Amino acid sequence: MQTSTNQSLRPLTTKINDKGNLEIGGCDTVELAEKYGTPLYVIDEFTLRSVCRDYNKAFSSYDKVKLLYASKALCSMATSSVISSEGFGFDAVSGGEIYTVYKSGVPMEKVLFNGNNKSADELLLALDLGVGRISVDNFFELALLDELAKSKNKKVDILLRITPGIECHTHEYIQTGHLDSKFGFDLTQTDEAIELILNTYSALNLKGLHAHIGSQIFETKVYDDEIEILVKEIARINDKFGLNLDEINIGGGLGVKYTENDMPPSVYEIAEIIINRLKSAVQKYNISEPILYLEPGRSIISTSGVTLYTFGSSKQVPHGKKYVAVDGGMADNARPSMYQAEYSAVIANKPEDECLQNVTIAGRFCESGDILIKSVDLPEITDGDILCVFNTGAYNYSMASNYNRVEKSAMVLVNNSQSDIIINRETLDDLVSHDIIPDRLRANV
Ligand code: LLP
């Protein structure tokens, strides 16, 4: 089976250059760190385009496929325009994500709006900008969206988010398809929802069903099961209500390779399983071939991203661990502290030196749990050395915070030996720019 980009630990353009430094996208990572400062998120455009092309190619035999990128993995105007130029639409889960993809020039009919508690303001923004689909998550939202759409004299195309009852083996916090999940209608509630849409909510136009079973998935059988459930449910609904629903959205979830031990399936393998199962289920349940939406996030953006840090202090615990600290941590990458996520790293200015010691890479935030990598073999480290952590494109910047009032890091896009800043580093003034001291307090200062 053909391999795909999500199976690579490092960006595809990663090399050692003639200075002996790590190079990505033709750019020396040590020079990037000097020029833009650290921590620095780096996105390799070639790798990003390459995985988009893997998806396009892998699903090309099913002509009713619509690939949406789940922006929650990383949402920026520059990355959105790259992904859009590869033919993808977008799954957005907030007004902020909708607005970002809108500002980056994405056609709004290629956007699907998801989420379990969308606000009235966010739904109005979606209606005003004309997003293509809204995936309605619950009864409360059905009523709210119908009311808002009527107030705008609009009819809105929707999918119903359902909970298919599939457990996949991933971290508990990123499982979503199991029965007691907070997301979507239980299968026992879909008929009631459809009756309301048909009889009461005349501004809503039901097009199909949506599900998402979890994230960082390595098993392939779960997709098989999910398609069977969605197609069976569509056939049952069409039959019972005399409808002709012809859209299914199977969500995202395909895993990536954070460490040498991770063996995610290739996009081609997943595509074959999904398409074969879809075709056989369509025959079995006697429906016409539906439009198939996929909304991968992590597997699109993760591999293209690395983060560069600078080493500072270190501590050898007597008879214990050696901690070496970098200038970032849980505020730019929350995943190790939130999900016990593991990462791989090298020292960018000596990537080939022999790894003579095992160290724990500590973050700079004031919390014992701020450990970036628990155990990694590295060469001798001096302060000022640059650490490159791989596979940080997804759910790093998008989950970043200003914990400890630290400025959010910058992001650069590299390609063909060129680097462009795509997100500016926050400044101290940015940090205080939303603060207000009420006049009555000023008087006392
Ligand atoms: N569609 C829906 C409805 C989702 O909820 C998600 C992710 C996706 C698509 C994209 O899934 P992906 O292809 O990225 O696995 N912060 C966690 C991941 C949370 C995923 C939430 N939903 C992490 O850092 O691992």
Side-chain angles (χ1 to χ4, degrees):
M1 181 64 67
Q2 199 174 341
T3 58
S4 58
T5 309
N6 66 308
Q7 298 178 299
S8 172
L9 191 63
R10 302 172 174 200
L12 300 179
T13 60
T14 309
K15 284 189 195 137
I16 314 288
N17 66 14
D18 38 17
K19 289 188 190 156
N21 291 341
L22 194 76
E23 174 185 300
I24 295 172
C27 297
D28 184 318
T29 54
V30 180
E31 287 171 15
L32 291 175
E34 261 165 36
K35 182 168 178 190
Y36 299 103
T38 56
L40 181 68
Y41 297 109
V42 180
I43 301 287
D44 180 39
E45 186 176 333
F46 179 85
T47 304
L48 176 55
R49 290 193 185 277
S50 149
V51 76
C52 292
R53 289 171 193 178
D54 282 330
Y55 267 99
N56 278 318
K57 193 167 159 209
F59 284 92
S60 60
S61 69
Y62 192 74
D63 58 6
K64 289 185 167 178
V65 73
K66 288 194 194 276
L67 296 168
L68 310 178
Y69 164 66
S71 340
K72 61 176 80 62
L74 169 63
C75 187
S76 82
M77 285 168 57
T79 48
S80 301
S81 75
V82 171
I83 295 166
S84 175
S85 73
E86 293 295 334
F88 276 61
F90 289 77
D91 151 29
V93 291
S94 68
E97 287 185 357
I98 292 174
Y99 193 65
T100 307
V101 297
Y102 167 70
K103 289 297 248 182
S104 63
V106 170
M108 283 292 107
E109 67 275 9
K110 293 179 87 173
V111 176
L112 179 141
F113 188 20
N114 267 323
N116 71 310
N117 192 22
K118 308 171 187 82
S119 72
D121 282 348
E122 289 175 315
L123 289 168
L124 284 171
L125 179 73
L127 291 173
D128 286 342
L129 295 180
V131 307
R133 296 280 181 280
I134 296 182
S135 176
V136 180
D137 195 272
N138 49 61
F139 287 108
F140 172 80
E141 189 185 327
L142 277 177
L144 178 63
L145 181 60
D146 180 66
E147 184 190 319
L148 296 173
K150 281 178 180 154
S151 75
K152 298 253 164 201
N153 268 330
K154 289 198 171 171
K155 185 121 183 163
V156 42
D157 289 332
I158 65 164
L159 302 179
L160 274 194
R161 169 88 180 252
I162 59 153
T163 315
I166 294 171
E167 301 228 354
C168 53
H169 299 115
T170 184
H171 193 285
E172 177 191 357
Y173 292 176
I174 51 178
Q175 280 182 357
T176 33
H178 55 297
L179 282 177
D180 61 357
S181 155
K182 73 170 183 175
F183 294 103
F185 292 90
D186 191 272
L187 285 177
T188 57
Q189 298 171 319
T190 47
D191 284 5
E192 187 185 343
I194 291 165
E195 271 157 24
L196 282 165
I197 295 167
L198 296 178
N199 302 325
T200 314
Y201 299 141
S202 55
L204 307 184
N205 182 28
L206 181 62
K207 306 288 285 184
L209 299 181
H210 175 207
H212 168 77
I213 47 180
S215 199
Q216 185 58 356
I217 295 174
F218 285 11
E219 304 160 85
T220 51
K221 189 177 177 307
V222 285
Y223 287 105
D224 232 16
D225 295 346
E226 184 188 10
I227 296 219
E228 173 82 14
I229 291 171
L230 282 168
V231 171
K232 185 175 174 190
E233 191 60 9
I234 288 261
R236 187 191 67 76
I237 291 168
N238 282 348
D239 199 38
K240 175 165 179 186
F241 295 96
L243 293 172
N244 194 18
L245 305 186
D246 64 349
E247 297 190 7
I248 65 169
N249 180 337
I250 63 169
L254 177 59
V256 299
K257 188 175 176 73
Y258 288 112
T259 67
E260 286 297 347
N261 296 333
D262 288 337
M263 297 293 169
S266 92
V267 173
Y268 298 96
E269 186 182 345
I270 287 286
E272 195 176 302
I273 288 168
I274 290 173
I275 295 169
N276 285 346
R277 186 50 167 242
L278 185 56
K279 291 196 165 159
S280 67
V282 156
Q283 286 200 339
K284 178 170 164 192
Y285 296 106
N286 195 24
I287 63 165
S288 54
E289 278 191 358
I291 291 175
L292 169 69
Y293 292 93
L294 276 98
E295 34 184 43
R298 185 190 319 264
S299 55
I300 298 289
I301 196 74
S302 182
T303 320
S304 66
V306 303
T307 308
L308 304 176
Y309 300 94
T310 305
F311 280 107
S313 67
S314 62
K315 171 182 175 177
Q316 175 68 60
V317 179
H319 315 294
K321 275 183 186 166
K322 179 166 183 186
Y323 287 100
V324 282
V326 291
D327 54 356
M330 64 191 294
D332 58 78
N333 182 358
R335 302 193 68 258
S337 47
M338 259 181 109
Y339 317 115
Q340 299 84 45
E342 293 181 9
Y343 283 88
S344 313
V346 297
I347 299 186
N349 49 308
K350 41 188 160 185
E352 288 191 309
D353 283 15
E354 205 182 335
C355 296
L356 298 168
Q357 54 172 349
N358 183 272
V359 296
T360 295
I361 299 184
R364 50 92 27 104
F365 295 91
C366 291
E367 211 164 297
S368 308
D370 179 26
I371 300 295
L372 213 48
I373 304 184
K374 259 193 193 148
S375 162
V376 56
D377 292 334
L378 288 177
E380 211 45 57
I381 298 164
T382 359
D383 62 334
D385 281 350
I386 303 296
L387 181 76
C388 175
V389 179
F390 295 106
N391 245 303
T392 60
Y395 303 112
N396 274 227
Y397 176 76
S398 67
M399 293 170 67
S401 76
N402 289 116
Y403 187 44
N404 291 179
R405 276 251 147 159
V406 172
E407 309 92 306
K408 279 191 196 151
S409 305
M411 187 178 292
V412 294
L413 185 69
V414 293
N415 197 27
N416 287 329
S417 309
Q418 192 181 329
S419 64
D420 294 292
I421 192 99
I422 57 170
I423 299 179
N424 278 320
R425 184 175 303 283
E426 286 182 350
T427 62
L428 291 175
D429 280 326
D430 288 333
L431 289 177
V432 294
S433 65
H434 294 277
D435 285 28
I436 296 168
I437 303 182
D439 284 346
R440 66 186 176 78
L441 294 183
R442 278 186 190 280
N444 301 333
V445 177

